[in-house]
Amino acid sequence: MKGKKEMLQELLWLYRKQIVFMCVVVTLAGILGACAVLKGRASDVQQGIAGEILRFHVIANSDSEEDQARKLMVRDEVVEYMKTLLDGAEDIEETKRRIEEHVEDIEYTAEQALKKAGGEDSIHTELTECYFPRKSYGDCTFPAGRYQALRVCIGKAEGKNWWCVLFPNLCFIDSIHAVVPDKQKQQLENVLTEEEYESLFDWKRSDFRIGWGIFQ
């Protein structure tokens, strides 16, 4: 039979083991709770940003060299048309209203640009809400989530897309921007909360990584 000393040592060992287990459980619960809070905050930030911006996508028929080149020609013509159409639009609601009233004209502009580029595919244009992955452009990153967007779909729309932000106006034609210009940053700052705006440029130290840019 075990002596009292041995039995006491076993009881102490089991007691310590239980304490360690409980400490691990409490620590894990705390970590999971903190993660849930951060995730909730990140979701709130994304939804806040999504409610104040309108994205613009031109989706190529395929990833062939010809289809990608035609996509860019369609982009050029439509962006030029949108500059005039949206000139003076003061908020996202007015921007959407103007687009909805001229969606057929936008589609016609895209069709003419595609024909000029030698393409014969059909084009479908719509103002809709879609899920988009996290994307970056220069020093600015938008988080993954659902966003309102004007989409110009060429043919089967199975190719890589070009995209920008229509409101506020962040549509640069060229895709090489290391830093978003100060004028465009000011436009973003005017429509977002301080937390939402700062999260665009603080993604290296947080989960609020917001993406926008050109996905070629």
Side-chain angles (χ1 to χ4, degrees):
M1 293 181 64
K2 296 181 181 179
K4 291 183 178 179
K5 184 176 181 180
E6 292 178 330
M7 292 179 64
L8 181 60
Q9 288 177 335
E10 286 187 3
L11 288 172
L12 287 172
W13 181 82
L14 289 173
Y15 179 69
R16 289 171 182 168
K17 186 176 180 180
Q18 288 179 339
I19 290 177
V20 171
F21 176 75
M22 290 303 298
C23 287
V24 171
V25 170
V26 170
T27 300
L28 287 175
I31 292 173
L32 291 174
C35 288
V37 170
L38 289 175
K39 185 176 181 181
R41 285 185 61 200
S43 177
D44 290 343
V45 169
Q46 185 278 324
Q47 291 176 23
I49 294 169
E52 297 296 339
I53 71 168
L54 180 66
R55 297 171 67 146
F56 172 46
H57 289 241
V58 181
I59 308 170
N61 176 62
S62 73
D63 282 336
S64 71
E65 186 176 338
E66 294 82 2
D67 282 341
Q68 286 297 308
R70 289 167 183 158
K71 172 196 70 178
L72 297 181
M73 292 188 70
V74 169
R75 172 203 68 181
D76 291 349
E77 294 290 335
V78 175
V79 167
E80 195 62 33
Y81 174 78
M82 298 301 289
K83 286 181 182 178
T84 301
L85 176 64
L86 301 180
D87 184 41
E90 297 183 354
D91 55 40
I92 190 172
E93 294 305 323
E94 183 177 356
T95 299
K96 290 192 294 183
R97 179 183 60 76
R98 292 190 189 187
I99 290 173
E100 289 170 345
E101 291 176 353
H102 294 86
V103 68
E104 292 182 359
D105 296 329
I106 297 170
E107 186 166 288
Y108 177 77
T109 300
E111 290 171 345
Q112 294 304 303
L114 184 62
K115 288 180 181 178
K116 189 187 301 183
E120 298 180 351
D121 295 305
S122 61
I123 288 183
H124 176 65
T125 303
E126 63 178 345
L127 186 60
T128 185
E129 183 179 289
C130 305
Y131 175 85
F132 296 103
R134 183 173 61 197
K135 288 294 177 181
S136 298
Y137 178 73
D139 57 345
C140 183
T141 307
F142 288 94
R146 299 189 68 81
Y147 291 86
Q148 300 174 87
L150 171 65
R151 290 163 57 89
V152 176
C153 302
I154 305 173
K156 296 179 181 178
E158 295 178 347
K160 293 176 183 177
N161 73 98
W162 176 91
W163 71 279
C164 69
V165 175
L166 274 179
F167 184 86
N169 181 18
L170 305 177
C171 283
F172 307 124
I173 289 297
D174 65 283
S175 61
I176 305 175
H177 278 273
V179 179
V180 176
D182 290 340
K183 181 179 180 180
Q184 277 69 33
K185 286 181 179 178
Q186 184 62 54
Q187 292 175 343
L188 277 171
E189 191 172 11
N190 289 340
V191 300
L192 301 178
T193 67
E194 182 178 353
E195 181 181 18
E196 291 163 358
Y197 177 75
E198 290 181 353
S199 73
L200 299 173
F201 306 96
D202 194 33
W203 56 271
K204 290 183 179 179
R205 300 190 299 274
S206 74
D207 289 327
F208 305 150
R209 301 186 62 180
I210 43 180
W212 85 275
I214 291 110
F215 176 34
Q216 304 275 20

